[in-house]
Amino acid sequence: MDLRRIGDYDVLILVSLIWFLGKFVRYLFPPLFGPLQSTYGVSNATIGTAFSGFMVAYALMQFPSGAVADRIGPVRVIVAGASVAGIGALALVVDSPFAALVAAMVVIGAGTGVHKTVAVRLLARVYPARTGRMLGVHDTLGALSGIAAPAVVVLFLSPPPALALALDRLPGADWRALFLLTGVAALSLAVAFAVRIPGRLPDDPDAEGDDGTGPGAVDYLRLFRNPRFSAFVLVTIGFSFAHNGLVAFLPLYLSREVGLATTTANLLYSLVFAVTFVQLATGDLSDRVGRFPVMVATLGLAAAALAALVAVPGVGVGAVAAAVVVALFGLGSHGFQPVRSAYLIEVLPDWLAGGGLGVVRTLLMGAGALAPAVIGTVADVAGFRPAFALLAGSMALAAVVAAGLWLTE
């Protein structure tokens, strides 16, 4: 009985594990900004721009992956993405110049970028009556990578003797071993997904257009004729810019602006993701009470937390206040994400769901991809507090527009 129940959730389990690994490799980079700056002698703007390259590649894959999945199915797309990301991670095992590091980051960004758009539609097909709850589980497992990645970075940069001995035997010692393990795991999951999942998917008669050729680009662009749809895209863009800017630079902000030790800053960074389990509640709650009430509440909480984070250095209350504020931001930002996806999959026509979601995610991830470069540049020119004030304003805009959509619903 238990094995049969596990079998019922094999799609959710494998999709979520691939998402966890994709986000894990993404969240490895911000805690490594300091060591990378020391190794390569680059500025905040340069390392932020390099991470933006990762995010731009990620963003550019959203629409193509969804549109291709509408035509050839999700399995091939997800397997290809996990394989490319694994190969990119393995490329980082070898000592290389900064340009090669950036190139590998772009490859990993492209590989991980194909997953989420296709996964949302896939889970909605397999679990149609529990979409919000399943997306909550999926996003929760993915966000747990944000807890694991900084902790693992700390462990590998300051390893205990037994781990140090093991690392010496690996081709890529110290932090490069992380990418060796990640690459092997990604390729293994790609194989497991290709073998297990194809026979588990229900038929999707709406996956093609009326002529059997699938939707075209014009069909996706017509979605933006709806003012409410376009306004919601603005909500997602404002949220993504603020979220990705904070995720990229929070460790440096806490160490340089708040004055915390680097280890403490990285551990507090994990708090953003430690509260990820809120997604289980918000996804399920939105199935019951509606999407907009939950989205407005979570966006408002995230905006207030960002504003408080800007004030923390000025009031000098240190690590405790920073921890509380970081945790509140995590609650708001994580709580919003599964509800956003559930809402989009409901308002998009079935035959445009993959590519339509891909268009939206291209825009929101494009804004998120620009955030590290923008915030790094503002931090170099004016300081971290003005840079984080910009993030707070972006999140507040998202909350206000979402509230307007709710009130006029």
Side-chain angles (χ1 to χ4, degrees), residues 124-216:
R125 282 175 56 193
V126 178
Y127 310 104
R130 297 164 288 171
T131 300
R133 182 183 300 176
M134 294 300 105
L135 291 176
V137 173
H138 176 263
D139 288 354
T140 296
L141 189 56
L144 286 175
S145 63
I147 304 173
V152 171
V153 167
V154 171
L155 182 65
F156 272 70
L157 291 181
S158 302
L163 180 59
L165 181 61
L167 290 175
D168 288 339
R169 298 175 180 174
L170 293 175
D174 57 62
W175 59 267
R176 293 185 183 276
L178 291 170
F179 295 100
L180 173 63
L181 299 175
T182 300
V184 171
L187 294 176
S188 300
L189 283 174
V191 172
F193 196 87
V195 171
R196 174 65 181 171
I197 299 305
R200 293 281 293 112
L201 301 186
D203 293 333
D204 189 14
D206 296 317
E208 295 184 342
D210 292 338
D211 59 358
T213 62

Side-chain angles (χ1 to χ4, degrees), residues 13-14 16-19 21 79 82 184-195:
I13 292 168
L14 283 174
S16 299
L17 285 175
I18 293 174
W19 184 228
L21 199 62
V79 169
V184 171
L187 294 176
S188 300
L189 283 174
V191 172
F193 196 87
V195 171

Side-chain angles (χ1 to χ4, degrees), residues 90 113 120 137 163 171 273 318:
L90 291 177
V120 169
V137 173
L163 180 59
F273 310 97

Side-chain angles (χ1 to χ4, degrees), residues 289-314:
V289 305
R291 310 301 186 195
F292 274 115
V294 180
M295 286 192 286
V296 171
T298 53
L299 287 171
L301 180 61
L306 266 172
L309 191 61
V310 174
V312 163

Side-chain angles (χ1 to χ4, degrees), residues 222-246:
R222 285 183 182 138
L223 294 168
F224 291 89
R225 291 180 179 179
N226 184 337
R228 290 183 62 83
F229 180 81
S230 297
F232 187 74
V233 172
L234 178 61
V235 172
T236 67
I237 288 173
F239 168 82
S240 183
F241 181 87
H243 178 80
N244 283 279
L246 180 132

